[in-house]
Amino acid sequence: MLEKKVSPRLEMSHLFASGHSACSGCGEALAARLVLWAAGPDVIATSATGCLEVFSSNYPNSAWEVPWIHSLFENSAAIASGVEAALRVTGKLDQVRVIAQAGDGGTADIGLQALSGMLERGHDVLFVCYDNEAYMNTGVQRSGLTPLGAHTGTSPSGQTSSGNPNLKKDMPQIALAHRIPYVATASVGYPFDLEKKVKKALSIRGPKYMQIFSNCPLGWRHDPSETITLAKLAVETGLFPLYEYEDGQLVSARRIASKKPVEDYLRPQGRYGHLFAQESGVEMVARIQAQADVNIERYGLMAKKE
Amino acid sequence: MARRIIEGSRAVAEAVALCKPQVVAAYPITPQTHIVHELAQLVADGNLKLEFVNVESEHSAASVVLGASATGVRVFTSSSSQGLVLMAEVLFNIAGMRLPVVLACVNRAVSAPLSIWTDHQDSMVVRDAGILQFYSENAQEAADLTYLAYRVAEDHRVLLPAMVCLDGYVISHAWEVVDMPEADQVDAYLPPFQPRYRLDPTHPVSMGMYAEPDKYLEARYMVQRAMERSIGIIQDASNDFERVFGRPCPGLMEEYRMEDADTVMVAMGSMASTAKMVVDQHRESGEKLGLLKLITYRPFPEKLLYQALEPASRVVVLDKAVSLGAQGPLGTEVRSMFLGQPRPRSVSTFILGLGGRDVTESVIDDALRKARRGQQTGEFLDLRSDLDLEEV
Ligand SMILES: Cc1ncc(C[n+]2csc(CCOP(=O)(O)OP(=O)(O)O)c2C)c(N)n1
Ligand code: SF4
Ligand SMILES: [Mg+2]
């Protein structure tokens, strides 16, 4: 039923064309399509090196129906700053919105400096981080946004390891520290929420930061048909809270109707498989649960509506 | 046209301003900083209208001008040494994307040891990037090459970035008499930037796509062809320069007292001035010495350079850079031109002046003396004798 309602609207968007070479069930492809669907055609988009760039721009084929530029891995925000400066100086900034895009590595690790510069200088750009929680384009290695306990090529599980030993970097808070007018998280599991946030972000002048939960079925080793289910579970467990900050104030946080244990989210994913095969996994699952509980508390995800 | 005594950096900054870039991004590094100060001040005083983007690194400086150039506006950036090396990744990218970004490199040595003084090792790091490289002898030439750089870079038969190199301190911080043209002269010489493609929602294009092995080779070949084509375009731009500004700007190279010379030195940058003095002295004592000052190093104008050097029997190349483990880059390339030629010549190559060591007349004399004794290869000049240099 819902599908019927959704598809005609989605079909109206051809700004991110099909025919690209993403894996089936790829959250990044879906997220990029949703972002452009919400943004409309009067946009210039930049991309960092990464899966999205590679699967969408194999010369001479391009999935991008809006003007699009890719330069390098770490400079999407700086390229967007230059695009914005050029639009500003030629008086076109009123008609064109600038969207900078990068994966979690291109955002929170190697691209963090350029992003910080862009946010601090106040460029009128929406920066979108497609968070698939690892360096996927190079074959699944850990990034600063890889969550606790996840197995990747450079945070492997083994006799002496339960996967990634570090907590996921709190990137939205880093963005917030730049005192920018809008910071939000979104998820491919909630397309209308994502749409609303992109639209709101683009209506605000100045730098905006959005981090979108974007599954990678290949790197997370889950069935491609599970993308949406797992994206929703990430929210319902509290592991990936959906919220918005405007002018530094938390203005919305998606409430959890009934809290799910993190195990429901972890079990279907191969990247967490070791947690259920090793004895030490029990402790790691408990630590992940504690993370979810911290989020629920911090963002008031279970609080009753007044 | 007004002749004024100004600092080299000021001359370059004013030349850039006359070219009316719309986005400038740069990051401080000695000895390049004065150029950026001057531009920022021109903007602050309301004498120049552009977006000045205060970036957080040279990598972003180059990226900002890349993005702005792709959006269709004229841009400028500049750097030195570590900053230029940090930019290198982006500079290769700019060239491959065929964006006519113009930048100044205020030449400085590369660390370690840390040195803020001049040599050409920084610009040599990016000599293979697909950037046109012009080396200036003095402030006048640095300013003049700036107008020429924009004109050639933006020519639709070229569409490549261009770098104007000027020696740190020796040119950037010295005050010289410089002829600064009127704005309408520069306008007559340099047409407004007409991008071939630009990011524009009314005509969406994708830029910076990836190429599989069946296309990459061709993309690089096309850059190579554009480089080759640019030689003729630099010559035209140089001829036009004289017509519009009423004084010469040689562009590719300058021949100094080379008629009948049997020994010719080849040098780039400010040391060409010293070499000219050495030529004059030797000429006075009847020696047939000349200098070829190479201005355009990329593209390497091999045919014309060969023609110019052909009559000489001895060539002496002075390099302010070294490819560690091989030789000086200019020396290697000049020598290779003569390989397989019927008439053998002595081509001696020297490395001198690294890290700001003064290139004096006596150092150049030493090169000439050694070259006369027999062909030298990558010989370091003016090394101290009071240190144990064989110590690891
Ligand atoms: C300077 C530099 N270092 C490393 C790489 C190799 N590289 C390309 S994409 C990538 C990972 C991208 O990860 P992320 O940003 O998370 O995007 P994803 O592919 O996961 O969407 C890496 C390491 C590069 N292109 N440039
Ligand atoms: S590897 Fe992951 S992110 Fe990359 S295309 Fe496949 S599913 Fe998408
Ligand atoms: Mg990633």
Side-chain angles (χ1 to χ4, degrees):
Chain A
M1 289 301 275
L2 186 66
E3 231 180 314
K4 269 196 183 137
K5 225 172 77 192
V6 174
S7 51
R9 282 180 67 188
L10 284 175
E11 272 167 18
M12 289 190 323
S13 162
H14 301 290
L15 296 175
F16 189 76
S18 59
H20 53 71
S21 59
C23 312
S24 56
C26 174
E28 241 180 34
L30 183 54
R33 188 177 150 93
L34 289 168
V35 167
L36 285 190
W37 168 56
D42 296 323
V43 154
I44 295 176
T46 72
S47 273
T49 309
C51 263
L52 174 60
E53 167 262 327
V54 170
F55 69 63
S56 67
S57 75
N58 182 355
Y59 181 86
N61 302 308
S62 173
W64 302 91
E65 304 277 355
V66 296
W68 175 85
I69 183 168
H70 156 253
S71 166
L72 297 163
F73 186 19
E74 65 274 51
N75 66 356
S76 187
I79 298 292
S81 302
V83 170
E84 187 255 22
L87 292 173
R88 183 183 294 276
V89 75
T90 50
K92 293 185 198 139
L93 206 48
D94 281 335
Q95 300 110 59
V96 186
R97 317 275 65 210
V98 184
I99 300 179
Q101 309 170 99
D104 45 290
T107 299
D109 291 347
I110 199 166
L112 183 57
Q113 176 179 316
L115 172 58
S116 175
M118 186 204 97
L119 298 178
E120 162 257 318
R121 289 189 301 266
H123 292 279
D124 191 5
V125 175
L126 167 60
F127 189 99
V128 177
C129 167
Y130 297 109
D131 184 6
N132 58 18
E133 305 193 319
Y135 299 147
M136 295 313 178
N137 189 48
T138 35
V140 198
Q141 297 85 24
R142 78 165 290 283
S143 79
L145 297 193
T146 299
L148 192 63
H151 168 106
T152 72
T154 51
S155 62
S157 55
Q159 283 298 319
T160 62
S161 164
S162 302
N164 185 40
N166 305 322
L167 294 180
K168 186 180 175 85
K169 194 188 291 191
D170 197 345
M171 192 54 220
Q173 290 296 328
I174 295 175
L176 262 176
H178 291 79
R179 296 178 236 214
I180 58 174
Y182 189 74
V183 172
T185 58
S187 165
V188 291
Y190 300 86
F192 295 115
D193 177 71
L194 190 157
E195 177 199 14
K196 207 179 72 201
K197 286 171 175 167
V198 169
K199 287 209 154 98
K200 187 194 277 187
L202 290 177
S203 74
I204 297 170
R205 308 317 294 257
K208 286 82 62 176
Y209 176 80
M210 262 183 86
Q211 188 165 321
I212 304 180
F213 184 94
S214 312
N215 316 42
C216 169
L218 188 103
W220 298 4
R221 284 181 283 133
H222 68 68
D223 195 275
S225 66
E226 294 284 298
T227 294
I228 301 300
T229 315
L230 285 168
K232 284 183 188 296
L233 272 169
V235 173
E236 288 163 353
T237 52
L239 281 173
F240 197 93
L242 300 184
Y243 53 76
E244 281 174 301
Y245 283 87
E246 281 179 48
D247 297 321
Q249 300 302 314
L250 187 67
V251 294
S252 84
R254 189 180 189 92
R255 273 157 224 278
I256 298 172
S258 74
K259 178 183 158 186
K260 305 269 171 32
V262 294
E263 210 179 312
D264 291 7
Y265 169 73
L266 303 177
R267 268 199 190 273
Q269 303 185 52
R271 63 173 170 162
Y272 295 116
H274 56 285
L275 300 184
F276 304 100
Q278 304 175 323
E279 234 172 84
S280 59
V282 178
E283 192 204 319
M284 186 56 101
V285 172
R287 285 180 66 196
I288 297 170
Q289 183 63 58
Q291 277 303 303
D293 294 342
V294 165
N295 286 339
I296 289 169
E297 182 65 28
R298 182 171 169 197
Y299 296 103
L301 304 179
M302 302 284 291
K304 292 224 162 54
K305 279 194 184 148
E306 275 109 62
Chain B
M1 200 81 84
R3 285 167 68 82
R4 286 154 51 211
I5 300 176
I6 51 175
E7 197 194 40
S9 298
R10 173 85 192 181
V12 171
E14 285 191 23
V16 169
L18 284 166
C19 296
K20 299 189 212 136
Q22 290 186 289
V23 173
V24 171
Y27 191 80
I29 184 167
T30 304
Q32 159 264 181
T33 349
H34 284 194
I35 296 180
V36 205
H37 282 191
E38 298 286 358
L39 283 169
Q41 196 64 53
L42 286 169
V43 175
D45 293 340
N47 294 326
L48 188 58
K49 207 184 134 346
L50 53 76
E51 279 292 312
F52 190 94
V53 185
N54 268 310
V55 284
E56 80 300 328
S57 75
E58 288 87 354
H59 197 283
S60 285
S63 301
V64 164
V65 297
L66 188 165
S69 179
T71 313
V73 303
R74 186 172 284 161
V75 299
F76 177 75
T77 185
S78 64
S79 197
S80 296
S81 182
Q82 310 311 126
L84 194 82
V85 176
L86 187 59
M87 265 187 191
E89 188 197 20
V90 191
L91 295 178
F92 275 77
N93 201 244
I94 287 171
M97 292 175 76
R98 309 298 297 272
L99 296 170
V101 167
V102 170
L103 67 154
C105 171
V106 182
N107 286 106
R108 163 181 158 183
V110 176
S111 196
L114 191 146
S115 163
I116 58 167
W117 292 278
T118 196
D119 68 32
H120 295 162
Q121 294 185 91
D122 52 359
S123 47
M124 285 298 162
V125 169
V126 292
R127 67 160 191 189
D128 299 337
I131 306 172
L132 308 168
Q133 282 195 342
F134 305 109
Y135 287 78
S136 49
E137 181 187 340
N138 48 40
Q140 182 72 64
E141 200 167 43
D144 292 352
L145 287 170
T146 303
Y147 318 119
L148 183 134
Y150 275 108
R151 180 161 146 160
V152 176
E154 292 172 2
D155 190 301
H156 280 204
R157 295 163 292 175
V158 179
L159 290 178
L160 287 173
M163 175 188 285
V164 176
C165 300
L166 56 149
D167 288 344
Y169 296 112
V170 182
I171 300 177
S172 65
H173 287 53
W175 290 63
E176 294 181 47
V177 178
V178 184
D179 230 329
M180 294 306 295
E182 301 300 328
D184 56 354
Q185 287 178 297
V186 178
D187 290 347
Y189 181 69
L190 179 65
F193 176 37
Q194 299 279 358
R196 175 134 181 228
Y197 302 103
R198 64 192 177 87
L199 297 168
D200 172 8
T202 57
H203 300 283
V205 291
S206 293
M207 294 187 182
M209 303 172 71
Y210 96 91
E212 296 204 325
D214 63 339
K215 293 163 208 96
Y216 182 91
L217 187 66
E218 283 71 19
R220 299 313 264 180
Y221 175 77
M222 289 166 79
V223 174
Q224 180 80 335
R225 291 286 300 133
M227 275 280 178
E228 287 164 16
R229 272 198 301 276
S230 72
I231 291 176
I233 292 157
I234 294 167
Q235 277 174 315
D236 290 348
S238 163
N239 295 337
D240 246 17
F241 191 100
E242 187 150 11
R243 195 177 53 72
V244 174
F245 297 104
R247 55 192 165 75
C249 173
L252 290 173
M253 60 190 79
E254 180 192 334
E255 298 179 24
Y256 186 76
R257 303 188 78 171
M258 276 175 54
E259 65 293 339
D260 78 355
D262 53 32
T263 300
V264 176
M265 295 184 280
V266 182
M268 304 197 296
S270 65
M271 68 177 161
S273 283
T274 316
K276 283 176 181 173
M277 289 164 64
V278 173
V279 168
D280 291 347
Q281 288 157 11
H282 285 243
R283 283 274 172 184
E284 256 168 50
S285 49
E287 259 178 81
K288 292 179 173 174
L289 181 64
L291 167 77
L292 191 138
K293 178 181 87 181
L294 187 63
I295 301 168
T296 301
Y297 176 62
R298 282 292 178 273
F300 192 66
E302 183 171 337
K303 276 205 193 90
L304 292 164
L305 189 58
Y306 182 80
Q307 270 170 25
L309 297 176
E310 213 272 326
S313 54
R314 185 181 297 115
V315 177
V316 178
V317 187
L318 306 177
D319 248 308
K320 254 193 191 178
V322 56
S323 170
L324 295 166
Q327 295 146 35
L330 181 60
T332 307
E333 290 176 58
V334 170
R335 174 170 290 170
S336 76
M337 300 192 313
F338 291 99
L339 296 176
Q341 298 298 339
R343 189 161 68 87
R345 282 182 197 68
S346 160
V347 181
S348 286
T349 62
F350 295 96
I351 289 149
L352 74 177
L354 301 188
R357 183 71 56 89
D358 278 343
V359 179
T360 60
E361 290 148 87
S362 77
V363 175
I364 295 176
D365 271 333
D366 189 32
L368 292 169
R369 221 174 5 253
K370 285 181 168 138
R372 224 172 283 130
R373 283 208 295 267
Q375 180 167 296
Q376 308 287 322
T377 299
E379 177 84 12
F380 275 64
L381 295 174
D382 196 29
L383 285 174
R384 288 174 62 155
S385 54
D386 57 333
L387 299 174
D388 178 5
L389 302 179
E390 299 313 315
E391 177 65 30
V392 177

